[in-house]
Amino acid sequence: MIRFAFSNLLRHKVRTFLSLAGVIIGVASLIALVSIVDGIRFDIEEAITSVQGVRVAPLNSTDPVLNYLDSKIVEKLDKIQGVKAAIPLIMQLPKTIDGKSISYGGIRFVGFGLDKITNATQSTFSGTLIAGRDLESSDKDRHVILIGETLQKEYKKSVGSKLKINDVSFKIIGVFTTGSDFTNNVIIGPIDAVREVTNYPKDRVSAVNLVLANPSQDGLVSKRVNLLYGSDVKASSMSDFSAQFGAIFDGITLLVVVLASIASIVSAVGIINTMLMSVLERFKEIGALKAVGWTNSNIMGLIVYESVFIGIIGGILGLIFGYFLSIVITFFGLTTIISFELFLGSFMGALFIGLIAGLYPAFIASKMDPIEALQTE
Amino acid sequence: MKKKETIIEVKDIFKEYHLGGVVVKALDGVSFSVDEGDFIVIVGPSGSGKSTLMHILGTLDQPTRGDVLVDGENIKDHDDWEMAMLRRKKIGFIFQSFNLIPTLNALENVVIPTEPLPGDKEKYEDRGIELLKLVKLGDRMLHKPDELSGGQRQRVSIARALINDPEIIFADEPTGNLDSTTGKQIVELMYKLNVNENKTFVLVTHDPSLLEYATKKVFILDGKITQIEVNKNRKRIN
């Protein structure tokens, strides 16, 4: 029966191919879209988890680069219960690097107050040094910087070499990685040096990072800050960020699923159309099969087999195309992630569409009166 | 001599169609039986009800009224599935336009009725090969229908009708699409299967020249059997 069903699909190769194409495009685009969304989600989650503790930013802040917070707040925050150290930070975009102007905003130049910390990567964000040494309190008046792994590769620098930011020379003392493209193109230096080269106002800071006595109390501490200084600032714990981004991405994922459902319906309609045409064309043949002892359910089985074949073959080809598509997308600088669940889910979806789309044409074929069918010429 | 078993018997059957408010009687009180070893030729003009009669005898259709007995069992309350099972086990069909499946070769077409059956596919294939040899198509087994002549296609469909070793084979205008020489070869093949293999045949035709092969001649007109005649001078072929 399976071989017979298969041979029926080969009768009208173009028609079969067209309904296959519907499934292939649906599955491939689903895989490509979801892999992009998963890739971005992965990147952002990496970025979020690489920042620790509680961040205090001005109320209604949109981008830390545009923030101006009165620096007096640092001392006040430092005294809040549960806060080990309040670390002021300035975040700016460098105008030029090694004399070349920076045309896009991907690179951030961040200055940390080093008075109260022994090592910058550990107490302000959870990067890992891969070369050189960390920023320490004694570096606070020097022109030294840490650079992210992405920048190190892009500018072909190593520990000990110089990097000119806004025409001021800095010595690279260390290279770090956070595992995320979002935070790996950051330059970190002492707050005063960053303030100097970016002309950032003296009595202002972009934000304040709170290092906690007990990191698990981030929710509690941010609540205290909001209670005391909520009229001027907003404190967010990293778990808040995670939840926010999670909600955004759930929305995007839902959108992708809706798109995929539309694609599924389109390909199901394509299969139904193909199968109906093929059933109506074979009216007489189906009548003959009934005459020679095929039952209604045998006929139904044959037609469903045929449409499930379209689903399976379309599903497999769609997986292959989707996989290559998501590889091609990475050439444009996006991270894509194809999970096993995505693969399996897309394939099962295609199979399911084949099954569902075959039922109606199969029903029509099985209910057909053999005599009427045999009499059609 | 042992009495022949009756395979199919119809008792006073009517078949009515409603066409635009008018009742058309395709069969108007027909009683008739087919015995084992018969070679029945039913002759009538088109519209006489002969095809309807064959469909009912072949359990493809149910009469509006009257009884149909297959091996003594009344099939009045049989549903689609039970009718299909009867056809599968006891009945073979040969059609005027062959109704072979164009994508399958001769052998695959012959075994297609066994496709939904469980069991050894090879066994069915062996039987299919045997039958194709019997209808003298041993050298055409892997040819597709469009690579075969009309007569050869009809021989494939005869082999297909025999695959389930049916008790009775119905042929609806089996020579209708063939030239007279080929038509003669086909009817003589069925004749030989009847004489040598004791296969029971019911032929429906409007061609009176097939009557000479019959053991029983049946004449039908306007939905009624006008005459049933045992053929005492049946043609003999070696």
Side-chain angles (χ1 to χ4, degrees):
Chain A
M1 183 100 82
I2 288 172
R3 231 178 45 198
F4 182 30
F6 198 75
S7 78
N8 284 333
L9 289 178
L10 295 179
R11 280 188 207 197
H12 291 283
K13 294 191 180 68
V14 173
R15 193 165 72 195
T16 304
F17 173 76
L18 288 177
S19 54
L20 270 178
V23 181
I24 293 171
I25 292 168
V27 171
S29 56
L30 175 70
I31 288 189
L33 283 174
V34 174
S35 73
I36 292 173
V37 172
D38 282 353
I40 295 174
R41 185 198 284 261
F42 175 79
D43 266 355
I44 289 192
E45 274 172 4
E46 282 277 310
I48 289 170
T49 51
S50 70
V51 186
Q52 289 179 332
V54 172
R55 172 164 290 184
V56 180
L59 216 55
N60 305 323
S61 102
T62 48
D63 189 328
V65 170
L66 305 171
N67 286 351
Y68 294 96
L69 200 59
D70 193 329
S71 51
K72 280 177 200 143
I73 189 108
V74 179
E75 292 308 311
K76 293 179 190 164
L77 292 170
D78 204 40
K79 293 188 180 93
I80 287 176
Q81 194 192 350
V83 175
K84 201 164 121 191
I87 318 247
L89 69 92
I90 291 173
M91 189 179 285
Q92 286 292 283
L93 307 176
K95 289 195 181 69
T96 62
I97 289 181
D98 280 353
K100 280 181 219 145
S101 67
I102 304 304
S103 53
Y104 66 101
I107 301 172
R108 306 261 149 144
F109 192 21
V110 182
F112 281 114
L114 297 176
D115 295 327
K116 293 164 206 149
I117 50 178
T118 47
N119 43 25
T121 54
Q122 285 313 300
S123 41
T124 54
F125 68 100
S126 62
T128 310
L129 274 182
I130 52 175
R133 66 169 181 87
D134 216 331
L135 279 172
E136 292 162 7
S137 302
S138 55
D139 294 317
K140 69 183 181 120
D141 298 321
R142 302 171 63 193
H143 282 96
V144 289
I145 48 169
L146 302 176
I147 60 171
E149 194 185 11
T150 312
L151 289 171
Q152 183 223 349
K153 282 177 186 155
E154 198 176 327
Y155 289 94
K156 298 187 179 64
K157 297 287 178 183
S158 56
V159 174
S161 48
K162 305 270 185 183
L163 189 71
K164 273 172 91 174
I165 303 168
N166 297 357
D167 295 325
V168 178
S169 184
F170 283 84
K171 185 184 176 191
I172 297 165
I173 59 164
V175 179
F176 66 87
T177 180
T178 59
S180 158
D181 288 344
F182 278 81
T183 45
N184 267 350
N185 53 5
V186 172
I187 303 164
I188 293 171
I191 192 164
D192 293 336
V194 175
R195 195 189 294 279
E196 176 199 319
V197 300
T198 59
N199 290 321
Y200 197 88
K202 246 189 150 45
D203 52 351
R204 294 280 187 271
V205 292
S206 299
V208 182
N209 275 4
L210 303 182
V211 180
L212 306 181
N214 181 356
S216 64
Q217 286 186 330
D218 58 348
L220 185 68
V221 171
S222 59
K223 219 181 260 173
R224 281 180 192 147
V225 173
N226 288 331
L227 206 64
L228 287 167
Y229 307 109
S231 54
D232 301 321
V233 297
K234 180 170 169 26
S236 313
S237 62
M238 287 313 127
S239 30
D240 290 341
F241 277 128
S242 293
Q244 268 178 27
F245 277 112
I248 291 169
F249 275 94
D250 287 347
I252 295 175
T253 307
L254 184 69
L255 178 74
V256 170
V257 168
V258 169
L259 287 175
S261 309
I262 294 170
S264 315
I265 291 168
V266 171
S267 49
V269 170
I271 297 179
I272 292 173
N273 185 40
T274 301
M275 295 313 299
L276 267 182
M277 266 162 85
S278 122
V279 162
L280 295 178
E281 246 168 36
R282 287 185 285 160
F283 227 54
K284 211 173 156 90
E285 213 176 289
I286 291 167
L289 287 174
K290 284 193 167 186
V292 300
W294 279 45
T295 61
N296 291 355
S297 43
N298 293 151
I299 301 287
M300 188 136 183
L302 176 70
I303 307 299
V304 170
Y305 265 134
E306 291 177 17
S307 71
V308 166
F309 265 139
I310 294 180
I312 291 177
I313 297 168
I316 291 172
L317 293 177
L319 292 186
I320 295 170
F321 277 107
Y323 179 73
F324 281 112
L325 205 56
S326 72
I327 287 175
V328 170
I329 287 164
T330 59
F331 296 152
F332 296 97
L334 280 169
T335 308
T336 57
I337 292 174
I338 299 182
S339 61
F340 177 70
E341 288 84 355
L342 175 61
F343 242 91
L344 189 73
S346 313
F347 178 73
M348 295 308 281
L351 196 152
F352 184 69
I353 287 165
L355 179 70
I356 292 295
L359 288 178
Y360 176 66
F363 178 77
I364 295 284
S366 77
K367 285 292 161 214
M368 183 177 75
D369 180 3
I371 296 162
E372 214 176 291
L374 287 169
Q375 279 165 350
T376 49
E377 283 299 331
Chain B
M1 194 177 150
K2 194 183 133 202
K3 193 181 178 299
K4 285 182 181 175
E5 296 276 339
T6 296
I7 302 172
I8 294 183
E9 190 176 3
V10 295
K11 287 179 182 168
D12 203 21
I13 55 168
F14 292 80
K15 183 74 185 180
E16 292 161 358
Y17 298 101
H18 295 268
L19 280 179
V22 184
V23 177
V24 179
K25 287 186 177 178
L27 290 177
D28 192 7
V30 171
S31 297
F32 170 69
S33 66
V34 185
D35 296 338
E36 191 190 338
D38 273 351
F39 194 96
I40 294 175
V41 177
I42 302 175
V43 182
S46 61
S48 60
K50 59 184 192 302
S51 287
T52 307
L53 176 61
M54 196 203 72
H55 291 147
I56 290 173
L57 289 169
T59 71
L60 280 170
D61 202 358
Q62 294 268 21
T64 313
R65 269 173 289 143
D67 295 314
V68 180
L69 284 76
V70 179
D71 285 335
E73 186 189 353
N74 197 326
I75 64 161
K76 187 176 258 166
D77 296 322
H78 278 32
D79 59 19
D80 285 355
W81 187 82
E82 288 167 309
M83 303 260 276
M85 286 299 141
L86 267 183
R87 293 196 293 273
R88 180 181 286 181
K89 286 180 193 144
K90 300 184 176 178
I91 295 165
F93 275 99
I94 298 165
F95 306 98
Q96 178 176 2
S97 50
F98 327 126
N99 288 333
L100 299 176
I101 288 156
T103 49
L104 303 181
N105 65 35
L107 179 58
E108 289 165 335
N109 263 294
V110 170
V111 299
I112 199 75
T114 69
E115 194 63 40
L117 304 183
D120 191 1
K121 298 275 167 211
E122 234 169 88
K123 190 183 79 191
Y124 298 128
E125 252 179 43
D126 288 346
R127 180 161 165 77
I129 292 168
E130 217 175 279
L131 287 169
L132 280 170
K133 285 180 182 160
L134 185 70
V135 298
K136 305 275 184 294
L137 280 177
D139 56 343
R140 288 281 186 278
M141 286 195 279
L142 301 180
H143 287 58
K144 298 259 172 77
D146 60 7
E147 298 159 350
L148 298 171
S149 70
Q152 288 170 332
R153 289 185 212 181
Q154 195 58 301
R155 280 190 267 163
V156 173
S157 79
I158 291 172
R160 178 178 66 184
L162 293 168
I163 189 78
N164 281 336
D165 197 16
E167 292 176 16
I168 183 166
I169 295 149
F170 291 95
D172 186 5
E173 302 277 12
T175 60
N177 276 11
L178 303 172
D179 63 71
S180 58
T181 317
T182 316
K184 196 170 170 218
Q185 288 168 355
I186 289 298
V187 75
E188 287 185 356
L189 173 62
M190 290 191 270
Y191 174 95
K192 282 177 189 162
L193 288 166
N194 173 250
V195 174
N196 303 333
E197 317 277 329
N198 199 35
K199 295 287 173 195
T200 307
F201 280 89
V202 176
L203 271 65
V204 168
T205 182
H206 61 262
D207 178 5
S209 73
L210 303 187
L211 285 169
E212 59 181 336
Y213 300 93
T215 59
K216 215 191 258 179
K217 306 174 185 178
V218 177
F219 299 88
I220 187 166
L221 187 68
D222 296 335
K224 289 179 178 159
I225 291 179
T226 52
Q227 192 188 349
I228 299 180
E229 180 192 328
V230 176
N231 188 2
K232 291 188 181 113
N233 307 311
R234 192 187 189 196
K235 186 171 181 167
R236 285 176 194 280
I237 317 168
N238 302 315

